[in-house]
Amino acid sequence: MRTMKINTKFLGEVEVNENDIITFEYGMPGFPDLHKFILLPLDADLPLAVLQSSEQVEIGFVVAYPFAFKKDYAFDISEEDKEDLKIEKEEDVIAYSILTLKDTFPESTLNLLAPVVINANKKLGKQIVLQDSSMYPLKYPIGALEGSAK
């Protein structure tokens, strides 16, 4: 198990296991040239983490486990996305939503329209845009969400 140190946007220098690096074959929207990211937990008591680029220190996203905030959040993954992520079992899939932090946490918004889907087993990730944009908005106020983390 090899470790490496990376500089992060929010947490300074951290040591990570190279095996934990997640490959985004197509990059992230807006950052097509960045392919290597790592999930760094923020607090064990919160369903939040940082999705940090291991290639560019300035690129890191605060992400949330959306089901903790919205119990009925659900979406289907297209066959193309399943192939891209080499998904074999539903249990291997973890989904996160990118959080836009505001002055107070309840004013922050959650991107429910474009979840970050990760195959934890294969260490592959992709941000997918859901087809039904009326059901899940791009900037949903987190204070309006009802879930177990509220």
Side-chain angles (χ1 to χ4, degrees), residues 71-145:
K71 288 178 187 172
D72 62 347
Y73 184 59
F75 58 88
D76 292 322
I77 300 173
S78 72
E79 289 303 317
E80 180 185 345
D81 290 331
K82 284 180 186 174
E83 284 180 29
D84 287 345
L85 294 167
K86 298 183 177 17
I87 295 172
E88 296 169 359
K89 296 182 293 185
E90 189 176 325
E91 305 84 69
D92 294 337
V93 177
I94 302 171
Y96 289 94
S97 292
I98 293 179
L99 199 66
T100 301
L101 295 171
K102 303 289 183 180
D103 289 341
T104 66
F105 188 73
E107 295 174 333
S108 300
T109 59
L110 204 55
N111 180 348
L112 296 177
L113 181 62
V116 175
V117 179
I118 295 170
N119 180 337
N121 188 33
K122 305 276 188 193
K123 302 296 182 199
L124 296 172
K126 185 175 186 181
Q127 186 173 19
I128 61 174
V129 179
L130 303 178
Q131 298 304 311
D132 188 355
S133 62
S134 64
M135 193 165 172
Y136 296 121
L138 192 62
K139 293 185 175 184
Y140 199 85
I142 206 163
L145 297 176

Side-chain angles (χ1 to χ4, degrees), residues 7-96:
N7 289 311
T8 69
K9 180 177 180 180
F10 299 108
L11 304 170
E13 185 180 87
V14 296
E15 189 169 301
V16 299
N17 183 335
E18 284 185 12
N19 294 333
D20 291 337
I21 291 179
I22 301 161
T23 300
F24 286 71
E25 186 178 341
Y26 304 104
M28 294 279 286
F31 306 98
D33 297 330
L34 299 178
H35 302 279
K36 303 290 184 187
F37 287 83
I38 189 154
L39 272 171
L40 302 167
L42 280 177
D43 184 322
D45 294 332
L46 295 173
L48 304 175
V50 172
L51 183 64
Q52 173 67 49
S53 167
S54 65
E55 300 165 310
Q56 193 169 337
V57 64
E58 301 85 13
I59 306 302
F61 307 96
V62 176
V63 295
Y65 186 65
F67 309 101
F69 295 95
K70 187 160 179 57
K71 288 178 187 172
D72 62 347
Y73 184 59
F75 58 88
D76 292 322
I77 300 173
S78 72
E79 289 303 317
E80 180 185 345
D81 290 331
K82 284 180 186 174
E83 284 180 29
D84 287 345
L85 294 167
K86 298 183 177 17
I87 295 172
E88 296 169 359
K89 296 182 293 185
E90 189 176 325
E91 305 84 69
D92 294 337
V93 177
I94 302 171
Y96 289 94

